[in-house]
Amino acid sequence: MDKTKFLLKRLDSISEWTGRVFSWAIVPMCLLVVFEVITRRLFNAPTIWTFESIKQCYGLHFMIVAAYGLLYKAHVSIDILHMRWSPRTQAIVAMVCYIIFFFPFCSIVVAYGGGFAATSWSLKEVTWSAWHPPLYPIKTVIPVTGVLLILQGISDFIKRFLFVTKGVKL
Amino acid sequence: MNVTVLTISMFVALIIGLLMGHPLAFVLGGLAVIFGFIGWGPQCYVMFANRIWGMMDNYVLVAIPLFIFMANLLSESGIAEGLFSSLRYLLGPLRGGVAIAVVVVSTVFAACTGIIGASVVTMGVLATPIMLKYGYQKELTMGTICAGGTLGILIPPSIMLVVMGNQATLSVGKLFMGAVIPGLILAVLYLAYIAIMCWRKPELGPALSLEERAAVPVRKRLTGSLINLVPPVILIIGVLGSIFTGIATPTEASGVGAFLAFLMILGYRKFTWKGLRDAVWSCAKTNTMVIIILCGATCFTGVFLGIGGGEVVTNLVLGIGLGRWGIYAIMMLIIFILGMFIDWIGIVLITFPIFLPIAADLGFDPLWFVIMIAVNLQASFLTPPFGYALFYMKGIVPPEVTLMHIYRGIIPFVILMAIGLLFCTLNPWTALWLPGKMIAGG
């Protein structure tokens, strides 16, 4: 039991800390947009690197904090029926949903997103713009997000499983 | 398997999946995996990575996190508090004056922010205790705050319109401008309703007592209102004005808006590291929630359209034989009913790939049609059992206000929304005039 608790704590803290750290990507994103507006509109001297950097910041920001959102139950769900069930039924249905929907989808994201990123790495892919920054790091975020989601999903699944089998609320 | 059977089973599975209470994003993604495998084969999963990448490599969607960030910062800045406290003294001598102040402040706040949570919670916390103290009817209080706060997502900037522009491949700048007049029409309808009801039945919303009025002199009320209007007006001119005149794209305006909101926190001397940290963290949670649903939904609609489901539904609807406006009415009714059960993101992502081709077939202007859906979706925030505004209100009202007060309170406002939708349907210029005046298509 203590080992499981330790494992759950570890899994949750991975989501917690990736979330806490990468949430701050919003600040450079915001400042880069302001910088872009000032250089382009006020001084008519746009830089070639801001546009791509903003997009990469944004792609990183919403993807990698997905597991953090799952930890805090931020992902919206429809609970009209859900809230009428007993806590035990809720937990069983949640486990079924994790098996039918969540794990298959996230596994596909890891597998095919991984392939997508691997192709990019093997080509040393860059963008078409004048600045041509590498694309493979940001594409790697797709499978990484999938892995983080699966880890948080495993933690949620175990919590439900313990609740159903042993009545332990974690 | 037959395409029609596959399409119908996809819908049935979607409804069952949604009702199980699992996060929408993963229900959509999971169904895409299952039906992609049945109807297409595993090679379709390559498309998933491509489509998710399409969401990440997207400059228009950058506006979503930045508008959310801007709204979170604005709630911290206390801009709504200042404006509300001076307006309520200014309008207090009128019957229903505090309710009118709520709608006015909500409308101004709506033109500064793009989400509803911030406006409903801010106005609910500020106005509920005051309105109840002055003896306003509970139903009217609840309805006013919910309906006013919901304007936040219709009046631009609006993350809903950004998502809609992305899904419908329309200019977000034009959608923003198109939603201005319909949003103001709804606000005027609310104001008129409150004023007429309170004038006829003063017990619904009594005027401030003479002692209360004496506390703050008229001169001070006027100057206070004007001073507190300056910061939001600067923000509105900066954000919406720059989009309208073609100086900035919505994405650029969102970044500058968030930055201005941060400067306002400094200006109002409300800056704390904890406040900034909370705004950053809560922005990340909202942002990932919205865009991960977009990722799940893009996989779902990819599979749905790939197996030919779009044509099945289009032929079905066009074959009913109700004529152009009959089908329009049915589409609007479906969206209204879906609004009771699903939140706006789900509705937009599920109905757009199906309804937009039908609307195009029927010869409706796509810009106008999308704005009508946006107006219609206003009701989805208020209609039980699943309405965001209701959830937010339930969390902040004092115990003497029950859920029934909230439900009864929203009924007249949902009717006003339907009237507004009907008016804008009959008068397409309401949505099309302002976008036509734009200097550049942002």
Side-chain angles (χ1 to χ4, degrees):
Chain A
M1 196 64 215
D2 282 343
K3 271 190 184 163
T4 333
K5 262 191 189 163
F6 182 73
L7 175 73
L8 290 175
K9 243 190 178 160
R10 272 296 141 88
L11 289 173
D12 287 354
S13 69
I14 294 172
S15 307
E16 180 80 54
W17 284 101
T18 46
R20 285 190 181 182
V21 172
F22 287 101
S23 294
W24 289 93
I26 189 80
V27 174
M29 203 193 308
C30 178
L31 295 177
L32 281 170
V33 172
V34 173
F35 179 75
E36 159 99 349
V37 172
I38 292 172
T39 50
R40 184 189 297 276
R41 310 289 179 182
L42 289 188
F43 297 111
N44 207 13
T47 56
I48 52 171
W49 52 273
T50 32
F51 182 73
E52 312 261 2
S53 314
I54 291 166
K55 276 202 295 191
Q56 297 216 352
C57 241
Y58 149 81
L60 174 74
H61 179 249
F62 83 85
M63 281 295 274
I64 210 146
V65 302
Y68 175 62
L70 190 63
L71 174 67
Y72 282 93
K73 308 207 178 345
H75 293 286
V76 59
S77 61
I78 290 150
D79 56 358
I80 358 172
L81 283 185
H82 193 83
M83 61 189 184
R84 286 163 212 265
W85 299 332
S86 71
R88 198 183 145 83
T89 319
Q90 283 180 1
I92 293 171
V93 173
M95 280 161 67
V96 172
C97 287
Y98 268 103
I99 293 171
I100 302 178
F101 302 123
F102 185 87
F103 289 124
F105 178 60
C106 292
S107 309
I108 293 291
V109 170
V110 174
Y112 285 80
F116 185 69
T119 317
S120 184
W121 277 94
S122 67
L123 296 171
K124 291 275 174 236
E125 189 184 6
V126 294
T127 66
W128 290 101
S129 67
W131 182 43
H132 54 76
L135 271 179
Y136 37 90
I138 189 73
K139 286 192 172 177
T140 313
V141 170
I142 301 175
V144 171
T145 299
V147 170
L148 288 170
L149 276 171
I150 288 178
L151 292 177
Q152 186 57 47
I154 291 173
S155 160
D156 283 6
F157 189 87
I158 296 175
K159 282 177 204 159
R160 261 75 181 234
F161 182 77
L162 288 177
F163 179 70
V164 173
T165 55
K166 300 202 176 123
V168 194
K169 204 140 185 157
L170 285 170
Chain B
M1 212 193 287
N2 177 306
V3 182
T4 316
V5 177
L6 209 54
T7 308
I8 294 168
S9 39
M10 238 177 137
F11 267 112
V12 174
L14 178 64
I15 293 165
I16 296 173
L18 290 178
L19 290 177
M20 286 170 90
H22 197 60
L24 191 57
F26 306 114
V27 172
L28 288 163
L31 288 173
V33 171
I34 297 167
F35 283 89
F37 188 81
I38 300 171
W40 199 335
Q43 71 272 19
C44 76
Y45 297 147
V46 178
M47 171 189 82
F48 287 20
N50 271 311
R51 282 187 162 243
I52 292 175
W53 171 244
M55 289 294 154
M56 293 171 72
D57 186 40
N58 192 319
Y59 191 66
V60 174
L61 293 182
V62 175
I64 293 179
L66 290 173
F67 278 134
I68 295 172
F69 191 43
M70 179 180 165
N72 285 353
L73 291 175
L74 276 179
S75 321
E76 294 279 330
S77 75
I79 194 170
E81 281 91 336
L83 188 57
F84 179 66
S85 69
S86 39
L87 266 185
R88 93 183 147 83
Y89 281 115
L90 188 68
L91 298 169
L94 296 175
R95 287 175 187 172
V98 184
I100 290 172
V102 167
V103 175
V104 172
V105 176
S106 297
T107 310
V108 173
F109 204 54
C112 299
T113 66
I115 56 180
I116 78 146
S119 22
V120 174
V121 172
T122 312
M123 290 318 296
V125 170
L126 281 180
T128 314
I130 293 172
M131 289 174 79
L132 295 180
K133 193 179 93 188
Y134 289 158
Y136 274 65
Q137 189 208 29
K138 293 189 183 87
E139 283 84 352
L140 184 73
T141 307
M142 294 296 112
T144 307
I145 296 170
C146 287
T150 305
L151 286 172
I153 205 150
L154 179 63
I155 295 180
S158 146
I159 60 162
M160 180 168 82
L161 295 172
V162 177
V163 171
M164 287 179 155
N166 175 256
Q167 293 291 307
T169 55
L170 288 169
S171 146
V172 173
K174 286 198 170 164
L175 278 176
F176 274 16
M177 291 308 138
V180 170
I181 294 177
L184 292 178
I185 287 173
L186 286 184
V188 169
L189 283 173
Y190 302 160
L191 289 174
Y193 169 78
I194 294 166
I196 292 169
M197 289 303 284
C198 292
W199 174 66
R200 292 187 47 194
K201 287 190 200 156
E203 66 273 20
L204 290 180
L208 288 197
S209 63
L210 286 170
E211 307 90 81
E212 286 268 3
R213 282 185 229 174
V216 183
V218 180
R219 230 185 116 80
K220 210 176 155 203
R221 286 182 216 155
L222 267 172
T223 50
S225 303
L226 286 176
I227 289 169
N228 281 299
L229 258 175
V230 172
V233 166
I234 291 174
L235 207 57
I236 294 169
I237 292 174
V239 172
L240 295 183
S242 60
I243 296 172
F244 184 71
T245 51
I247 293 173
T249 63
T251 304
E252 289 170 342
S254 68
V256 174
F259 189 68
L260 288 177
F262 180 71
L263 293 184
M264 274 172 198
I265 292 189
L266 295 181
Y268 279 75
R269 295 176 200 285
K270 288 280 175 67
F271 178 84
T272 56
W273 282 105
K274 191 183 164 296
L276 178 65
R277 194 190 70 190
D278 290 346
V280 165
W281 285 351
S282 108
C283 162
K285 285 173 201 152
T286 317
N287 179 32
T288 191
M289 180 273 278
V290 174
I291 306 179
I292 294 291
I293 295 181
L294 292 182
C295 289
T298 186
C299 297
F300 182 84
T301 49
V303 168
F304 181 77
L305 297 176
I307 61 171
E311 285 139 57
V312 171
V313 178
T314 309
N315 292 338
L316 195 75
V317 173
L318 291 180
I320 306 174
L322 278 172
R324 201 163 168 241
W325 292 103
I327 293 172
Y328 173 83
I330 287 185
M331 288 195 281
M332 287 298 158
L333 191 66
I334 290 175
I335 288 173
F336 182 84
I337 293 170
L338 284 176
M340 297 178 182
F341 304 101
I342 314 180
D343 73 304
W344 65 269
I345 313 173
I347 297 176
V348 168
L349 296 169
I350 294 164
T351 61
F352 267 37
I354 299 167
F355 285 2
L356 292 184
I358 296 177
D361 266 6
L362 296 171
F364 290 122
D365 184 294
L367 185 66
W368 168 80
F369 186 72
V370 169
I371 302 273
M372 290 310 105
I373 294 181
V375 174
N376 189 344
L377 280 176
Q378 284 284 292
S380 80
F381 295 99
L382 300 188
T383 44
F386 190 89
Y388 270 125
L390 306 178
F391 294 163
Y392 289 128
M393 278 313 278
K394 220 162 44 175
I396 52 179
V397 290
E400 71 260 29
V401 179
T402 66
L403 206 53
M404 280 323 285
H405 288 125
I406 304 182
Y407 285 167
R408 277 201 300 269
I410 58 137
I411 294 170
F413 289 93
V414 172
I415 295 171
L416 290 174
M417 286 169 182
I419 295 172
L421 178 62
L422 190 66
F423 182 79
C424 295
T425 298
L426 298 175
N427 299 283
W429 62 265
T430 49
L432 297 173
W433 178 72
L434 211 49
K437 293 275 167 201
M438 279 170 79
I439 290 162

